[in-house]
Amino acid sequence: MLVTTIPMILYVDKIGRKIVLVTGAIAMGACHIIIAVIFAKNRDQWPTHRDAGWAAIVFVWLFAGNFGWSWGPCAWIIVAEVWPLSARPYGIALGASSNWMNNFIVGQVTPDMISGMSYGTFIFFRLLTLLGAGFIWFFVPETKQLTLEEMDVIFGSAGVA
């Protein structure tokens, strides 16, 4: 993830947050659906289809890389930008705690989901990433190269800055 995160941190102000988040979600969703197909075709024959297992692992790594250049850094940037100065420390704390709690929940439920839902787990996560892409596309304004005052106007806090 380090390899994919550093370039995006350097270029996110030129590219923009919205396009990075939407493209990253689509790429992560593509990885999920490919893993789901691999799981569906090989779920009862992993010992004899080791290459399929390695292919699934490669797509998990690709998912992590796609997360590393998109939602990994951009989510933190957006959380830091959307709050007015007076509430920024509280907003960032809320965003960070929400992020870590959701990561904890995903880590706890994923093994049980794979046991119970098999490849459906990856279809479920694909749907979530595509919903995330749609939410960003339709509801999150682009914030690249905006001043604090412009952010306040965009997010409904005119005059606060």
Side-chain angles (χ1 to χ4, degrees):
M1 285 234 276
L2 180 69
V3 170
T4 59
T5 301
I6 290 176
M8 187 49 62
I9 290 171
L10 298 174
Y11 294 107
V12 73
D13 282 332
K14 292 181 178 108
I15 298 169
R17 288 96 167 109
K18 190 170 182 169
I19 194 69
V20 168
L21 289 168
V22 170
T23 307
I26 291 168
M28 290 185 297
C31 290
H32 278 297
I33 201 66
I34 292 168
I35 296 167
V37 169
I38 293 170
F39 256 69
K41 289 186 165 206
N42 299 288
R43 65 180 164 185
D44 297 324
Q45 42 193 345
W46 291 115
T48 58
H49 290 86
R50 293 177 53 100
D51 291 342
W54 280 107
I57 290 170
V58 166
F59 278 97
V60 169
W61 290 337
L62 288 173
F63 168 86
N66 283 310
F67 178 83
W69 67 260
S70 62
W71 284 72
C74 277
W76 291 98
I77 293 169
I78 294 272
V79 166
E81 290 177 337
V82 300
W83 296 94
L85 231 41
S86 61
R88 185 162 292 165
Y90 309 109
I92 292 173
L94 179 65
S97 61
S98 170
N99 181 21
W100 285 107
M101 181 54 72
N102 287 312
N103 287 335
F104 175 77
I105 292 168
V106 168
Q108 293 298 306
V109 302
T110 299
D112 292 334
M113 288 176 70
I114 290 173
S115 294
M117 296 172 56
S118 183
Y119 64 90
T121 303
F122 300 101
I123 293 171
F124 174 75
F125 285 136
R126 177 179 194 240
L127 291 173
L128 288 180
T129 57
L130 294 180
L131 284 171
F135 179 81
I136 297 296
W137 184 259
F138 291 110
F139 298 110
V140 177
E142 179 58 68
T143 60
K144 74 175 180 177
Q145 299 177 347
L146 296 179
T147 65
L148 291 175
E149 291 80 10
E150 292 167 327
M151 297 270 193
D152 282 347
V153 170
I154 286 176
F155 291 104
S157 301
V160 175

